[in-house]
C-alpha cells in the first residue's frame, strides 16, 4: 500500500515539491512482490499509463524492477499514441463543425487529457465525446458523414448518435444530457484553450458543471465497477486548476441528489487525506463533516 500511494501521488506533484522527498523512498525500497501487487491494482483501476508517466517525468524509471518498469512504460506510450490519434481526430472534427457554424462542447475525457493532466498520455481516453444542441442533430450528421466518419446506428439511443473515424477513433455526439436538462448550455460552458489539441478556444464545461458531471458519471458506474481510481483522480487536476472558482451552492444545484453531494465530499476528503490534494476553498469546511473514503475501502469495492 505504501508503494501504491507513492505512485498515485507522484504524478500530482511538481518537480521540487517538498512531498517528493517522502515519495521516492517507498519506490526505491519496495520489493518485487510489492511492485507486482501495485501493478495489478493499477491495471484494475486503469492507471498504468498514469503511473508510467509519473516515473518517467520524475526520472525514477530505473528505481522500479525491470518487469514493472517495462510494463508501465509500455502502457504509457500506448496511451500516448492512442490519445494523439484521438486528438488529431478531435481537431479535424471541430474544424469541420466550426466551418458550418456549430460550436460543440468538448466532453470531459479529451478536455482532461489535453488541458488538465500534465501529459496527454497520462490520462487514457476510450473515445471522444461532444455535446451539441438538439436542433443541431441534422447538420451534425451531415458534417460527420461528409468528413468520412461512419455512423454506428446500432449504438444510437435517445441521447446520442455514434460514429467511427476511418483511423478507428470512436466519436459519440450527445444531443441530450439529462443532468443539465432545463438549463441553458451557455451558463454551463466556457471557452478554454487546449493547445495540446491544437484548439485555441474549445468550448468545455464550466468549473461547477465539470465537477457535477464527474460526480454523476462516477456514481452512475459505481454499481457495476465500484469507485474506479482513474475517475476519482480526475477531480484532482480540476480542483487544482479551478479550485478558487468552484462554488458550493452552484455545484450543489447541479447535482441530482444529496447522495451525489455526499459522494463528492467524501472524494474531496479522500484526495486530501490519502493523496495530499487540498480541498477547493468553497468545499473545505463542509467536507470535514463527511468521512472520507480510504484507499483500502476504494480498493475493496473495485469490481
Amino acid at each position: 500500500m505504501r508503494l501504491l500511494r507513492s505512485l498515485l501521488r507522484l504524478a500530482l506533484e511538481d518537480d521540487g515539491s517538498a512531498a517528493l522527498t517522502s515519495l521516492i523512498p517507498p519506490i526505491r525500497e519496495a520489493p518485487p512482490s510489492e511492485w507486482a501487487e501495485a501493478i495489478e491494482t493499477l491495471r484494475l483501476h486503469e492507471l498504468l499509463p498514469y503511473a508510467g508517466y509519473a516515473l518517467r517525468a520524475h526520472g525514477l524509471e530505473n528505481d522500479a524492477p525491470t518487469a514493472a518498469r517495462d510494463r508501465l512504460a509500455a502502457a504509457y506510450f500506448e496511451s500516448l499514441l492512442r490519445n494523439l490519434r484521438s486528438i488529431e481526430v478531435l481537431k479535424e472534427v471541430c474544424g469541420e463543425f466550426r466551418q458550418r457554424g456549430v460550436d460543440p462542447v468538448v466532453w470531459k475525457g479529451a478536455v482532461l487529457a489535453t488541458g488538465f493532466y500534465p501529459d496527454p498520455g497520462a490520462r487514457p481516453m476510450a473515445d471522444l465525446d461532444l455535446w451539441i444542441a438538439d436542433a443541431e442533430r441534422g447538420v451534425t450528421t451531415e458534417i460527420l458523414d461528409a468528413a468520412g466518419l461512419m455512423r454506428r446506428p446500432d449504438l444510437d439511443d435517445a441521447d446520442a448518435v455514434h460514429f467511427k473515424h476511418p483511423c478507428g477513433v470512436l466519436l459519440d455526439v450527445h444531443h441530450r444530457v439529462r443532468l443539465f436538462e432545463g438549463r441553458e448550455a451557455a451558463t454551463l460552458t466556457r471557452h478554454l484553450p487546449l493547445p495540446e489539441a491544437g484548439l485555441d478556444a474549445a468550448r468545455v464545461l464550466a468549473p461547477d458543471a465539470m465537477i457535477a458531471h464527474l460526480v454523476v458519471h462516477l456514481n452512475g458506474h459505481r454499481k457495476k465497477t465500484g469507485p474506479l481510481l482513474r475517475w476519482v483522480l480526475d477531480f484532482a487536476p480540476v480542483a487544482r486548476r479551478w479550485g478558487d472558482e468552484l462554488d458550493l451552492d452552484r455545484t450543489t444545484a447541479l447535482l441530482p441528489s444529496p447522495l451525489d453531494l455526499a459522494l463528492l465530499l467524501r472524494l474531496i476528503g479522500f484526495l486530501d487525506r490519502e493523496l495530499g490534494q487540498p480541498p477547493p476553498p468553497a468545499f473545505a469546511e463542509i467536507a470535514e463533516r463527511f468521512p472520507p473514503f480510504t484507499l483500502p475501502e476504494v480498493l475493496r469495492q473495485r469490481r
Side-chain angles (χ1 to χ4, degrees):
M1 195 72 74
R2 185 168 172 246
L3 171 62
L4 180 63
R5 277 195 180 90
S6 291
L7 292 172
L8 292 175
R9 289 191 62 175
L10 196 60
L12 299 172
E13 299 299 335
D14 300 320
D15 285 334
S17 164
L20 277 178
T21 57
S22 66
L23 301 179
I24 293 173
I27 291 171
R28 290 180 172 164
E29 297 166 6
S33 59
E34 189 175 354
W35 273 99
E37 183 179 343
I39 291 291
E40 176 60 14
T41 299
L42 291 168
R43 183 193 68 79
L44 285 171
H45 286 269
E46 301 178 6
L47 285 172
L48 290 173
Y50 175 88
Y53 161 76
L55 286 179
R56 179 181 175 82
H58 293 291
L60 297 172
E61 308 105 301
N62 293 330
D63 292 295
T66 301
R69 180 189 67 213
D70 292 349
R71 179 85 181 275
L72 292 172
Y76 163 69
F77 283 112
E78 180 183 345
S79 173
L80 177 62
L81 291 174
R82 185 172 58 249
N83 282 3
L84 290 176
R85 185 166 60 243
S86 296
I87 288 166
E88 283 301 311
V89 172
L90 176 65
K91 182 179 178 181
E92 174 190 339
V93 166
C94 285
E96 296 287 346
F97 272 103
R98 287 180 179 180
Q99 285 186 21
R100 297 288 297 271
V102 178
D103 189 17
V105 180
V106 183
W107 218 234
K108 66 179 182 64
V111 175
L112 292 168
T114 61
F116 288 83
Y117 276 78
D119 182 275
R123 203 279 186 187
M125 291 188 287
D127 54 22
L128 295 172
D129 292 272
L130 301 176
W131 177 24
I132 59 164
D134 186 63
E136 295 170 330
R137 265 196 286 176
V139 70
T140 292
T141 300
E142 291 177 14
I143 293 169
L144 296 178
D145 284 345
L149 278 77
M150 298 169 285
R151 278 289 302 274
R152 305 173 72 208
D154 54 309
L155 298 180
D156 290 351
D157 53 38
D159 299 344
V161 290
H162 304 266
F163 297 82
K164 185 176 183 179
H165 191 275
C167 74
V169 172
L170 305 178
L171 172 66
D172 299 338
V173 182
H174 302 261
H175 50 82
R176 182 184 187 188
V177 178
R178 296 169 191 261
L179 173 62
F180 300 136
E181 276 189 318
R183 301 178 185 274
E184 285 293 327
T187 67
L188 301 169
T189 62
R190 65 166 52 177
H191 284 88
L192 179 74
L194 295 179
E196 290 282 0
L199 299 173
D200 55 1
R203 192 176 176 206
V204 305
L205 291 177
D208 297 294
M210 175 75 83
I211 289 292
H213 176 57
L214 291 177
V215 174
V216 171
H217 177 265
L218 175 64
N219 211 12
H221 286 275
R222 280 177 71 201
K223 290 182 180 179
K224 183 187 299 183
T225 68
L228 191 67
L229 276 173
R230 176 163 72 90
W231 295 332
V232 172
L233 291 186
D234 283 344
F235 289 87
V238 175
R240 176 178 288 188
R241 179 167 181 172
W242 279 345
D244 290 341
E245 297 185 61
L246 292 170
D247 180 87
L248 176 62
D249 291 336
R250 286 198 304 265
T251 303
T252 301
L254 292 172
L255 293 172
S257 78
L259 293 177
D260 293 292
L261 177 60
L263 173 63
L264 172 60
L265 296 172
R266 295 192 69 197
L267 291 172
I268 288 173
F270 169 85
L271 291 170
D272 183 16
R273 307 281 179 86
E274 294 280 10
L275 301 182
Q277 299 300 299
F283 292 84
E285 182 179 348
I286 190 172
E288 288 290 332
R289 306 176 201 167
F290 289 77
F293 287 107
T294 65
L295 186 55
E297 180 183 6
V298 171
L299 299 184
R300 282 196 306 270
Q301 292 183 34
R302 176 70 173 110
R303 293 183 289 282

